Amino acid sequence: MTAVFDRDALSEALGQTGQGDRAAFRRVYEATSAKLMGVCLRILSDRQLAEDVMQEIYLTVWNKAASFDPGRASPITWLVTIARNRSIDRLRSGAIARNSVPVDAAYDLADGAPSALDHIELADDAGRLGVCLDELDEKVSRVIRTAFFEGVTYEVLAQREETPLGTMKSWIRRGLLKLRSCLEQ
C-alpha cells in the first residue's frame, strides 16, 4: 500500500531516516517507491534492472538521508534525482544488452500505413468516382451515395423516396452498371 505524504512529512521522515530510524525509512519507501520505480522503468525499460536499481536507490537514501536539505530541494525532487542518476549510471555501465541491428534491416520491415502512392491513387479514384457519380441522374446519384457512403438500406431509401422497393433496387443496379462503365474508361 502506498502511503501519501505531503512535502513536510516526507522531509521529516527523511531527516529521521538520516538518524537511523527504520520506521521512518519504511514510511519514505512506502510513500515514494511507486514513483521512483516509474522513473527507473522509464529510463531502463526493463523491470528486473529497475528493481535492482531500486535497491541501490534506497541503500543510497539510507546512507545519505542525513545530507538531505529541505531548503535546497523538495524531498521528492531529491529522491527522483537519485533514481534518475542511478538509472542512467546503470545504462552507461552497459548492463543492458543493446539489440542493435544494422539500419539496412529496416528495409524489410513492413509498414501497415498506406504509402504516398496509395494516397495519390485513392484520391485519384475518389475523384474519378465523384465525376462518374455526377454524370448519373441526380436522383440515382443521390440514392447510390446515400446507400453506399451512409449505409442506408434499400428499404429505407425506398421509403424516403416514396418508391417501391423493386424500383429502388433497379435504380441502384442500373446506376452501378453506369458507374462501372464510366470508371473503366
Side-chain angles (χ1 to χ4, degrees):
M1 180 169 123
T2 303
V4 178
F5 278 77
D6 64 15
R7 179 181 177 144
D8 293 334
L10 192 53
S11 291
E12 184 179 333
L14 277 172
Q16 292 168 346
T17 298
Q19 296 170 1
D21 185 336
R22 291 176 187 239
F25 180 68
R26 177 178 288 283
R27 291 192 305 272
V28 168
Y29 178 83
E30 289 172 352
T32 62
S33 60
K35 181 170 187 69
L36 299 186
M37 180 60 132
V39 170
C40 295
L41 282 171
R42 189 176 63 240
I43 293 170
L44 298 168
S45 301
D46 181 292
R47 185 161 193 86
Q48 184 62 47
L49 282 174
E51 289 172 358
D52 291 347
V53 170
M54 287 288 287
Q55 290 180 5
E56 294 174 21
I57 292 165
Y58 284 101
L59 183 62
T60 300
V61 169
W62 177 256
N63 290 326
K64 304 247 180 184
S67 68
F68 169 69
D69 179 3
R72 293 183 57 197
S74 74
I76 199 66
T77 300
W78 186 73
L79 292 163
V80 166
T81 300
I82 292 171
R84 182 181 172 279
N85 290 343
R86 290 288 179 265
S87 297
I88 290 171
D89 289 347
R90 182 60 64 98
L91 273 178
R92 289 180 180 156
S93 74
I96 298 176
R98 305 246 188 247
N99 292 332
S100 61
V101 179
V103 74
D104 294 339
Y107 181 78
D108 295 327
L109 293 177
D111 182 2
S115 68
L117 182 59
D118 291 337
H119 283 292
I120 291 169
E121 288 174 354
L122 286 172
D124 186 44
D125 290 346
R128 286 183 36 226
L129 179 61
V131 168
C132 291
L133 280 167
D134 289 342
E135 290 180 8
L136 298 175
D137 177 65
E138 188 273 326
K139 184 177 7 178
V140 173
S141 176
R142 183 179 65 246
V143 295
I144 288 176
R145 288 176 194 265
T146 305
F148 291 95
F149 296 151
E150 297 176 25
V152 176
T153 65
Y154 291 3
E155 292 83 9
V156 172
L157 285 170
Q159 290 172 357
R160 285 184 187 173
E161 296 291 326
E162 298 177 353
T163 305
L165 179 59
T167 303
M168 180 59 61
K169 288 180 178 180
S170 294
W171 287 354
I172 292 174
R173 172 132 177 86
R174 278 181 278 178
L176 290 174
L177 289 171
K178 287 180 182 177
L179 273 177
R180 180 195 293 166
S181 174
C182 178
L183 290 170
E184 289 175 348
Q185 293 177 1

